[in-house]
Amino acid sequence: MAKVTILGAGNAGHSFAYDIAQNGGKVMLFEHPDFAKSLNGIKEKGGIEAVPELPSEVGGAKAFMSGFAKVTMVTTDPQEAMNFSDIVIMCVPAFGQETIFKLVMPHLRDGMILCILPGNFASLIFSKMMREAGIDVKVTFVEASSIPYAVRVIGPGQIYMLAKKTELSIGVFPSAMTKKTAEKLKEVLLLKLELDDNIFAAAMNNGNIIIHVPTATLGMGPMESRQGKIQFYAEGASDTVCKVLEAMDRERLAVGAAYGLKLPTFVEIVNTFYSLNMNSIRVFSNNSPYHNLVPNDSPKSPKVRYISEDCPFACLPIYFLGKLAGVDVSTFEAIIHIDCSYNDTNYFEEGRNLKKLGLYGMKTRDIQSYLETGIYKI
């Protein structure tokens, strides 16, 4: 029986806790003390309810799965959470990853596995934090390109699960531990695992890089003016906008190749995730049976995660890794510059640049060695 600690009680945390518990696992769900109210509904119910359909006023769509799952424990105590299991899933927004890791870092033990979904290069950040704190324990980090679920928390202890991916790609740091680690995760992640070469592949295969950031950036005028009352995929990713998405996808593939990776295209990623058969980004955006079910689903401002999270935490590292390797990443650069203006923030300095990843001063071959061995040399 799987036993797992989940860090973060948002949409993803609720869905992981529900799915693992439904399949007989024991779950400890942790939330930061500042957001303890996220746990109240679960405490009252004794678990999590997945509703069979959305209320009619927000679309009335049928759920992928429904029922009730008992959660073993909930807590805001990081030591209690980390003592519960050697397998830990972190599923918090990228801007909260360092805050949560700082809380749990003193309670790490040799042999622990920390899965970060989506990863967005977080394992490199965490390894740097451990070095700076003088913490020398053997932890294996796992990064996934996304979370497995399309889900919303719609009430206290209550979720709506729109879909679940059939397959998920993961990278392991250090990558020498990949096969051994994947075996231990089978009963936890509960879907087919595609093993990437390393965490770079997992982070670069985050589809939000291609579909969220440029679509929201180029469509922000009407999205903001109409307060999100636009179909993000079908309307936002129009024929012309998809040309930019395709350009960014080509640049992403080129950056991966510069680090020895053969990455799938965005279309190949979504086809694998959702068992689809789309032949272009535009065909996907206009015809996905999952992504257009909820009406008027566009962001209302550039402050939402499609830009404020996915740009500095997912796009920016690829841009800098590309520059280091001499790859043309001009489309990435243009979109990032616009987003800096939108949010009055210099993402090139504030986002996950090479210095923050602990990679500044390394050459591409040094980085590749570090990803495989976990041995830091500079």
Side-chain angles (χ1 to χ4, degrees), residues 353-367:
N353 53 40
L354 296 182
K355 185 176 181 180
K356 292 188 177 179
L357 295 176
L359 303 179
Y360 186 77
M362 287 186 174
K363 298 184 184 301
T364 55
R365 63 177 179 274
D366 301 324
I367 293 173

Side-chain angles (χ1 to χ4, degrees), residues 246-265:
E246 289 164 357
M248 285 187 68
D249 203 34
R250 289 192 295 270
E251 292 178 7
R252 179 185 65 88
L253 297 178
V255 175
Y259 289 86
L261 304 171
K262 182 173 174 46
L263 303 177
T265 66

